[in-house]
Amino acid sequence: MEVVKGYVEHIVFRNEENGYTVFNIENENGELTCVGVFPYISEGEMLEMTGDYTEHAIYGQQFKVKSHEIKEAEDIVSMERYLGSGAISGVGAALAGRIVRKFKEETFRIIEEEPERLAEVKGISERKAREIAEQMEGKKDMRKAMIFLQKYGVSVNLAAKIYQHYGQNVYRVLEENPYQLADTIQGVGFKTADEIAEKIGIRQDSDFRIQSGIFYTLLQSVAEGNIYLPKEELLEKAGELLRTGIENIEKYLMDLSMERKIVVKDNDGRTCIYPALYYYMELNTAKMLHDLDGECDVADVVIESRMKKVEENAGLFLDEKQRAAVVEAVRHGVFILTGGPGTGKTTTINAMIRYFESEGMDFLLAAPTGRAAKRMSETTGYESQTIHRLLEVNGNPEEEGAGSAFMRNEENPLEADVIIIDEMSMVDLPLLHALLKAVSVGTRLILVGDKNQLPSVGPGSVLKDMIESGCFSMMELTKIFRQASESDIVMNAHRINEGKPLIMDNKSNDFFFLKRMDANTVIAVTLALVQKKLPKYVEADAFDIQVMVPMRKGALGVERLNVILQQYLNPPAKNKEEKEYGDRIFRVGDKVMQIKNNYQLEWEISTKYGLVIDKGLGVFNGDMGVITEIHNKSETLTVEYDEKKKVEYTFKMLDELEHAYAITIHKAQGSEYPAVVMPILTGPRQLLHRNLLYTAVTRAKKCVTLVGDDMMIQRMIQNVNEQKRYTSLAERIREFKTV
């Protein structure tokens, strides 16, 4: 083992999750590259390291660090380098030089013990002197805390978050109740807190532990789409998580209720446990819907006369149900329009728009995703936008208490007489709640969607619950119009809904089935379709043809398919920059998807000359784009999304992206593609159900191709056991109606 000493001149690479760092040090022997795991490190620090010299095939000699110790700078040169390294905010190389020239070897002692004397140096005020001293002390404290947290297996990134939140209180928190971390630090779940608690020596039957485990189980159920859990199911799931019996759950539920973390509610004789945030969100949503749903007194003869003019002027031909839907939308504050593909929802929306426009009313159109909003604009001829943009997002509404997440709210409502929202099946409870807060009583709210689509990715099942409540005016369109009836995509979608076998004789122009019973053969056929056959057939680019599958894992899962499809659709080349991140390689030209809502990410739209013509905040779960640039020096990657929105990611943020050559059907909600290819052989029964197949088929505009086992497809049609979500919006709505 060798011992090397020197100051950190430049950090070349650092993984903030595990602390793996590549950096250059400088000492009397010159410059040396070092590699190792460091819980905390910054440029300018003096290190004493133990390790071995190694020879890297590309980078030459390196020092592989086994252990290290941070040393106080011992000489004037080292002190000046540390202060001027950028480690202390507001102190550059020139100022560092003046400080050290003034105080020489006494520099660090002066900063720690007599910081007011720093004001003797030109350019340093008394206030700045205090800030420098505080930063020096803070660096020491943070370094100690990071090393302390590392002992308990906390990643470097997480340790930094914990210290930033708790500061020097971190020691007390960990000793008293490490489960607090799961409540207060984003990224710390119960399991992480539990691992820390176990290392500290907290007992398995500790009240802190059981209480935290129960609450964590509830929050996990929200991530699965639920708003509450029945007490029996909560007890069972929490017991599995905690690996211990919960003998007196009532005690823990009472404690959590006293802390206002949960609400215990009796629903039809069944005890149900809600996270408090979601209970009140559901309750307030029901109240706001009730308040909006006023009746508008307009004489039949007036409506009939205006409808006739609208149809004549716009060249619209409405059937009885469509005309009735427009009348109901005129008469009610809240109206729901539902129906499958080809049943005339778009024509009905257009008739509503023309009617309200003829009345001189202001209206707004929106949808949950960028693609859905764009399609709504194309089919209506009027501007449509995402709900997030409509509400002017400026924070993270998913954080508890994020009251100012949207600029539009009860204090700054939307200025419109009518608001029409499309693709409502995708809207979750938090988003509907935020929307309703921005809608004034007296504004008509028209909600349009297909009740047979998959429910939202987020918690709740708002469209189905509103329909189930029976409290709102609603029209379901069922007639398939002649033009749509010529499409086998439309006809087969309705057959799926009705539980009938699909017509898969390949005599169709837009619906095909290719029977293949081996996973590798299915992949080869899928690749041939995407790369060669379908682009010409549907007059689209290979990147616009979407492969969809039910699962992430397995021989035909998203993860394996993306590796293979990337290899053939966007192979490596000398002129394509790459970035390896975990087990993935991101490459210029890759088709990628944002996989979590990021409300702070900035996007810009520029002209070809670089002039910014629009910009905003927010990139959302399911948004798809193409990597246009990778800069390894600046450690950034640029993705271009729909409407030429460009977003720059730092390499640290790449866990928010994944390849999108193949995606899960859930992620395809609200989108439409020229052609869809669905490989299907086998999978868990709870995933392979009717709604999933229906959603996949209805995402295609020109062509659907199913590749795999026809018996599995028929079994999906027969499986109506879609996973039940625990929601109670329908009950809450009915409660307000009976008051």
Side-chain angles (χ1 to χ4, degrees):
M1 285 279 198
E2 302 276 351
V3 177
V4 168
K5 195 172 181 182
Y7 68 87
V8 181
E9 185 173 84
H10 175 59
I11 295 174
V12 179
F13 170 79
R14 180 163 174 78
N15 183 324
E16 292 294 347
E17 279 300 313
N18 57 27
Y20 178 78
T21 312
V22 180
F23 60 96
N24 298 329
I25 68 159
E26 182 135 330
N27 57 21
E28 65 274 11
N29 299 319
E31 195 174 274
L32 175 66
T33 300
C34 302
V35 296
V37 174
F38 293 78
Y40 180 83
I41 192 172
S42 66
E43 290 177 354
E45 291 194 300
M46 176 67 73
L47 300 180
E48 185 173 280
M49 300 167 288
T50 304
D52 295 304
Y53 287 99
T54 60
E55 196 69 29
H56 192 280
I58 298 171
Y59 302 112
Q61 189 184 59
Q62 294 181 338
F63 189 71
K64 194 170 184 180
V65 181
K66 301 289 185 187
S67 63
H68 72 282
E69 194 177 337
I70 297 171
K71 296 285 190 180
E72 288 289 351
E74 296 168 347
D75 56 66
I76 291 173
V77 174
S78 298
M79 289 178 184
E80 186 176 336
R81 285 185 189 280
Y82 178 71
L83 288 173
S85 67
I88 306 299
S89 176
V91 179
L95 185 54
R98 292 204 297 275
I99 293 170
V100 174
R101 281 197 297 275
K102 172 74 176 172
F103 299 113
K104 300 185 173 55
E105 288 84 355
E106 289 281 282
T107 297
F108 280 15
R109 187 195 67 75
I110 295 288
I111 293 173
E112 285 183 22
E113 298 175 12
E114 303 175 74
E116 67 281 357
R117 288 190 59 194
L118 287 172
E120 296 171 20
V121 177
K122 186 182 177 184
I124 299 181
S125 63
E126 286 186 15
R127 181 180 170 186
K128 188 160 189 173
R130 285 194 302 273
E131 287 175 357
I132 292 169
E134 284 168 7
Q135 283 190 67
M136 286 283 283
E137 190 61 33
K139 291 278 179 184
K140 272 188 177 180
D141 292 341
M142 185 173 183
R143 186 187 302 138
K144 285 177 188 171
M146 299 283 272
I147 292 167
F148 172 75
L149 288 164
Q150 284 281 289
K151 287 193 299 186
Y152 298 111
V154 179
S155 75
V156 177
N157 217 10
L158 215 46
K161 278 188 188 176
I162 292 168
Y163 183 77
Q164 282 162 12
H165 185 86
Y166 289 110
Q168 289 299 97
N169 289 326
V170 68
Y171 306 102
R172 178 184 57 77
V173 168
L174 260 64
E175 284 169 11
E176 291 178 4
N177 178 15
Y179 295 99
Q180 282 183 53
L181 301 178
D183 295 342
T184 54
I185 309 294
Q186 197 170 11
V188 178
F190 170 80
K191 290 177 182 175
T192 303
D194 203 29
E195 285 170 10
I196 295 169
E198 190 176 359
K199 287 172 183 171
I200 289 171
I202 289 175
R203 289 168 40 194
Q204 279 212 330
D205 61 355
S206 149
D207 283 358
F208 285 140
R209 182 172 185 269
I210 292 173
Q211 209 169 294
S212 182
I214 290 169
F215 189 60
Y216 175 78
T217 302
L218 269 183
L219 294 183
Q220 284 298 102
S221 78
V222 169
E224 292 163 4
N226 301 303
I227 301 300
Y228 70 86
L229 278 180
K231 187 172 82 171
E232 307 76 29
E233 195 166 323
L234 174 61
L235 186 61
E236 181 187 340
K237 288 186 172 183
E240 287 172 10
L241 173 75
L242 293 161
R243 305 183 306 280
T244 185
I246 305 173
E247 293 182 5
N248 184 12
I249 193 170
E250 301 298 340
K251 169 187 178 301
Y252 301 110
L253 294 180
M254 186 174 291
D255 289 343
L256 286 164
S257 295
M258 295 282 285
E259 291 177 27
R260 298 185 178 181
K261 286 186 174 180
I262 66 166
V263 171
V264 181
K265 176 86 176 170
D266 183 84
N267 288 344
D268 297 324
R270 193 178 198 186
T271 304
C272 300
I273 320 298
Y274 296 75
L277 174 69
Y278 290 94
Y279 173 78
Y280 290 110
M281 193 182 287
E282 201 174 61
L283 189 67
N284 291 338
T285 297
K287 172 71 166 63
M288 288 186 286
L289 284 168
H290 172 265
D291 291 348
L292 279 176
D293 192 29
E295 289 197 12
C296 308
D297 188 19
V298 186
D300 290 348
V301 65
V302 173
I303 296 176
E304 189 62 38
S305 168
R306 288 171 185 166
M307 282 291 300
K308 194 172 181 181
K309 283 182 184 176
V310 164
E311 288 183 73
E312 286 173 1
N313 294 340
L316 294 169
F317 302 96
L318 305 179
D319 73 359
E320 190 178 331
K321 274 194 169 184
Q322 289 174 310
R323 188 174 287 105
V326 179
V327 171
E328 288 296 295
V330 170
R331 287 194 180 284
H332 294 88
V334 177
F335 176 72
I336 301 167
L337 178 67
T338 186
T343 56
K345 292 197 299 293
T346 298
T347 302
T348 309
I349 292 171
N350 279 324
M352 290 174 182
I353 290 170
R354 301 304 189 279
Y355 184 98
F356 293 122
E357 189 179 37
S358 72
E359 291 291 285
M361 292 184 176
D362 293 325
F363 56 88
L364 292 168
L365 310 180
T369 66
R371 284 176 176 246
K374 185 180 178 184
R375 194 167 71 249
M376 194 180 191
S377 294
E378 290 167 354
T379 56
T380 63
Y382 292 87
E383 183 194 359
S384 174
Q385 55 195 316
T386 64
I387 299 172
H388 287 93
R389 198 164 190 206
L390 180 76
L391 297 178
E392 298 173 24
V393 65
N394 74 334
N396 185 354
E398 292 171 6
E399 289 178 0
E400 190 169 345
S404 60
F406 295 105
M407 296 288 284
R408 294 290 185 174
N409 49 40
E410 57 269 58
E411 293 173 5
N412 181 28
L414 294 164
E415 296 166 9
D417 301 305
V418 183
I419 297 171
I420 304 177
I421 307 293
D422 199 6
E423 293 287 358
M424 265 302 295
S425 62
M426 291 184 67
V427 175
D428 60 21
L429 180 68
L431 189 55
L432 178 62
H433 183 259
L435 173 67
L436 293 173
K437 283 169 70 177
V439 180
S440 303
V441 172
T443 301
R444 286 182 178 84
L445 183 63
I446 299 168
L447 307 175
V448 183
D450 184 343
K451 66 177 185 177
N452 294 307
Q453 295 282 358
L454 289 168
S456 57
V457 174
S461 187
V462 295
L463 180 64
K464 285 182 181 176
D465 282 358
M466 287 180 68
I467 292 170
E468 188 193 319
S469 75
C471 294
F472 301 106
S473 178
M474 186 204 83
M475 181 63 69
E476 181 174 6
L477 303 178
T478 53
K479 177 183 174 182
I480 303 170
F481 286 87
R482 185 183 61 78
Q483 190 175 353
S485 69
E486 294 170 4
S487 163
D488 287 311
I489 295 174
V490 171
M491 298 311 292
N492 271 330
H494 286 276
R495 293 181 75 84
I496 292 167
N497 255 344
E498 294 160 10
K500 296 176 181 176
L502 297 184
I503 299 168
M504 299 191 295
D505 55 11
N506 290 336
K507 292 178 181 177
S508 169
N509 290 322
D510 62 4
F511 199 102
F512 304 97
F513 169 69
L514 304 175
K515 184 167 183 172
R516 303 290 187 275
M517 301 303 287
D518 169 73
N520 290 332
T521 308
V522 169
I523 292 171
V525 170
T526 299
L527 186 59
L529 287 166
V530 174
Q531 200 172 22
K532 297 172 184 174
K533 306 282 186 185
L534 288 173
K536 288 180 184 175
Y537 189 73
V538 297
E539 298 175 324
D541 190 271
F543 270 42
D544 294 325
I545 293 157
Q546 191 58 56
V547 178
M548 289 182 205
V549 289
M551 299 158 295
R552 292 193 58 81
K553 305 286 185 184
L556 291 178
V558 161
E559 291 174 8
R560 183 177 184 226
L561 282 170
N562 271 321
V563 172
I564 296 167
L565 290 168
Q566 181 197 33
Q567 186 181 336
Y568 287 93
L569 296 175
N570 189 32
K574 286 182 181 178
N575 63 339
K576 289 181 187 173
E577 287 286 345
E578 293 183 354
K579 167 62 185 171
E580 190 172 344
Y581 186 82
D583 58 355
R584 285 171 282 170
I585 294 173
F586 290 107
R587 184 176 296 135
V588 169
D590 271 342
K591 182 179 180 181
V592 292
M593 173 185 280
Q594 174 81 11
I595 58 169
K596 62 189 283 191
N597 290 335
N598 187 324
Y599 299 89
Q600 300 303 324
L601 258 182
E602 294 183 10
W603 54 261
E604 288 185 348
I605 300 175
S606 304
T607 66
K608 62 180 180 179
Y609 302 109
L611 179 68
V612 176
I613 55 174
D614 197 6
K615 61 182 178 179
L617 288 176
V619 183
F620 304 107
N621 190 353
D623 286 353
M624 288 169 63
V626 175
I627 297 174
T628 56
E629 297 172 81
I630 295 176
H631 299 289
N632 282 297
K633 282 188 178 178
S634 61
E635 299 191 344
T636 60
L637 175 154
T638 303
V639 177
E640 185 175 302
Y641 289 100
D642 285 342
E643 300 173 339
K644 305 217 176 280
K645 290 180 181 177
K646 288 197 172 183
V647 178
E648 187 174 271
Y649 293 80
T650 64
F651 285 176
K652 291 177 185 176
M653 298 166 62
L654 293 184
D655 59 340
E656 297 188 16
L657 289 175
E658 65 179 33
H659 292 99
Y661 299 101
I663 62 173
T664 61
I665 295 164
H666 276 91
K667 292 285 189 186
Q669 287 173 271
S671 295
E672 188 177 71
Y673 308 95
V676 165
V677 180
M678 182 179 169
I680 180 72
L681 273 180
T682 185
R685 179 173 167 78
Q686 68 267 28
L687 273 182
L688 303 179
H689 52 77
R690 182 183 294 177
N691 281 38
L692 198 79
L693 182 61
Y694 175 79
T695 300
V697 166
T698 54
R699 297 307 89 203
K701 191 174 183 179
K702 295 183 179 179
C703 180
V704 170
T705 308
L706 307 178
V707 186
D709 182 357
D710 53 335
M711 293 306 294
M712 179 56 68
I713 293 163
Q714 301 302 351
R715 280 198 288 272
M716 285 181 79
I717 294 170
Q718 297 310 313
N719 181 13
V720 294
N721 297 322
E722 183 186 352
Q723 190 174 358
K724 163 72 178 166
R725 287 191 171 190
Y726 293 114
T727 66
S728 50
L729 182 61
E731 289 95 316
R732 300 290 88 86
I733 290 167
R734 285 194 287 264
E735 285 170 3
F736 279 106
K737 285 291 181 183
T738 56
V739 171

